[in-house]
Amino acid sequence: MAESKEEALFQEKVDAEQKIEPKDWMPADYRKNLIRQISQHGHSEIVGMLPEGNWITRAPSLRRKTVLLAKVQDEAGHGLYLYSAAETLGIGRDELNDQLLTGKAKYSSIFNYPTITWADMGAVGWLVDGAAIMNQVMLCRTSYGPYARPMVRICKEESFHQRQGYEIMNVLSHGSPEQKAMAQDALDRWWWPSLMMFGPSDADSPHSAQSMKWKIKRQSNDELRQIFIDRTVQQAEVLGLQIPDPELKWNEETQHYDWGTINWDEFFNVIKGNGPCNKERLTARQKAHADGAWVREAALAYAGKKAKKKAA
């Protein structure tokens, strides 16, 4: 199908690195692609609070509790920023929430894994937030303005989260033999799901090519995964921990690490709702929504009363 004049002008603007704003003309598929990506991103921030919130009351010290509480609060804020960005594309907050609660909308598969020990808080911060930063830094330059601008603050806060997780792993890995074993166990369980966060190879992704053309994303899934592995392997060496991949080795020719085969069957199985905690996560969100009904009703009643008083 031939490109229309509007589509050609739109692409020229994108290629010229000019931000697309809510009132600008945009292709329907560009809007649809953005709503899908931003909503999934926002849902991931909200659902991502659950495996960490589970440890707030059980953190080993008051300092650990306050830092973890601050992190969970940050994640809630990120979700709200992203929902607001999605709303500029014409989708309402209620619809976004309904898509999450009914299972229509997806969120990152990583949050369907359990956080079994305190070391998991370290692994999640170090690996999961580290992978998220790798994905999200490029979004600070995404072509849609209302998405790009909040990503600057989100990435700064995620960097704090990653450092917090690494600090937990550093303390554990240099502690008692039992603590180091706990850190190694967490790394063993979170390594491969963290690599899956970047998504399948771009050749197998239905959205990547178009997203790259529209500059919604700037780097390929495999390119980002490679950068993450190269950096994280060096960090693991400092910690004295072993990456759970017997095929991992440095490639002198490419100057990058080669790694083993990712179990994509597991990835797609989790996405389909069959992960260890899929049902638990969705049930928790549904319960929170139901329990908060009285707050929403009270807020609406107050707003209505205030409007009537103003009209009088």
Side-chain angles (χ1 to χ4, degrees):
M1 183 181 293
E3 188 176 55
S4 69
K5 182 180 179 180
E6 290 86 356
E7 289 172 329
L9 291 172
F10 174 84
Q11 190 62 51
E12 286 179 12
K13 187 172 183 177
V14 169
D15 292 340
E17 299 293 345
Q18 298 177 30
K19 291 290 185 242
I20 306 300
E21 300 297 341
K23 293 184 179 180
D24 294 342
W25 184 92
M26 63 186 75
D29 283 345
Y30 178 83
R31 185 186 303 274
K32 181 179 179 181
N33 197 331
L34 275 172
I35 289 174
R36 176 194 59 80
Q37 180 169 325
I38 297 173
S39 66
Q40 288 183 6
H41 192 168
H43 296 329
S44 298
E45 299 283 358
I46 298 301
V47 176
M49 296 161 59
L50 296 174
E52 295 174 317
N54 178 47
W55 275 94
I56 291 175
T57 59
R58 297 184 290 159
S61 69
L62 180 59
R63 173 178 174 269
R64 295 295 188 192
K65 285 180 171 66
T66 55
V67 173
L68 185 57
L69 180 60
K71 179 184 180 183
V72 172
Q73 288 176 319
D74 284 348
E75 307 294 5
H78 298 172
L80 295 179
Y81 298 153
L82 293 163
Y83 286 158
S84 295
E87 286 179 309
T88 66
L89 292 161
I91 185 169
R93 187 76 59 97
D94 288 342
E95 185 177 354
L96 288 168
N97 196 46
D98 183 66
Q99 289 177 352
L100 172 62
L101 296 177
T102 58
K104 181 179 179 181
K106 303 297 182 184
Y107 54 86
S108 179
S109 62
I110 195 75
F111 299 119
N112 290 311
Y113 289 87
T115 46
I116 301 169
T117 71
W118 171 248
D120 287 20
M121 292 299 94
V124 167
W126 173 37
L127 300 174
V128 175
D129 291 325
I133 292 168
M134 206 66 65
N135 270 319
Q136 293 173 13
V137 165
M138 68 172 178
L139 294 176
C140 295
R141 298 184 296 115
T142 193
S143 59
Y144 188 58
Y147 192 16
R149 288 187 283 273
M151 288 310 306
V152 176
R153 175 169 180 164
I154 289 173
C155 285
K156 288 180 179 178
E157 292 178 348
E158 291 290 0
S159 294
F160 162 76
H161 301 165
Q162 195 269 348
R163 290 173 67 88
Q164 175 230 4
Y166 188 80
E167 192 260 347
I168 291 174
M169 295 296 277
N170 188 50
V171 169
L172 291 174
S173 64
H174 291 92
S176 67
E178 292 79 10
Q179 287 174 317
K180 184 171 183 178
M182 184 188 297
Q184 182 64 60
D185 173 67
L187 171 56
D188 291 346
R189 287 183 287 106
W190 288 95
W191 175 252
W192 291 106
S194 296
L195 297 189
M196 296 175 195
M197 285 181 67
F198 297 96
S201 296
D202 288 85
D204 300 320
S205 173
H207 305 290
S208 278
Q210 190 62 69
S211 290
M212 294 282 279
K213 180 181 179 182
W214 282 331
K215 298 191 177 182
I216 294 174
K217 61 184 291 187
R218 299 285 185 139
Q219 292 172 280
S220 73
N221 296 345
D222 285 330
E223 182 181 0
L224 291 169
R225 188 167 19 246
Q226 183 69 71
I227 296 171
F228 174 77
I229 291 172
D230 289 348
R231 293 180 182 177
T232 308
V233 169
Q234 297 178 41
Q235 294 166 1
E237 290 174 353
V238 173
L239 294 175
L241 299 178
Q242 184 70 38
I243 298 294
D245 180 359
E247 297 180 48
L248 184 75
K249 64 177 184 297
W250 178 253
N251 188 319
E252 287 290 346
E253 184 176 342
T254 64
Q255 291 295 293
H256 293 292
Y257 281 96
D258 294 334
W259 68 89
T261 303
I262 296 172
N263 185 354
W264 291 113
D265 288 340
E266 176 185 335
F267 173 77
F268 288 113
N269 192 46
V270 173
I271 286 179
K272 290 176 183 177
N274 301 317
C277 298
N278 286 72
K279 293 181 176 62
E280 178 183 332
R281 301 289 183 247
L282 198 55
T283 298
R285 287 306 309 151
Q286 291 167 342
K287 183 179 184 301
H289 184 72
D291 290 349
W294 70 272
V295 179
R296 296 190 297 276
E297 292 168 3
L300 288 172
Y302 176 77
K305 185 177 180 180
K306 194 173 181 180
K308 286 181 181 179
K309 186 177 180 180
K310 187 176 181 180

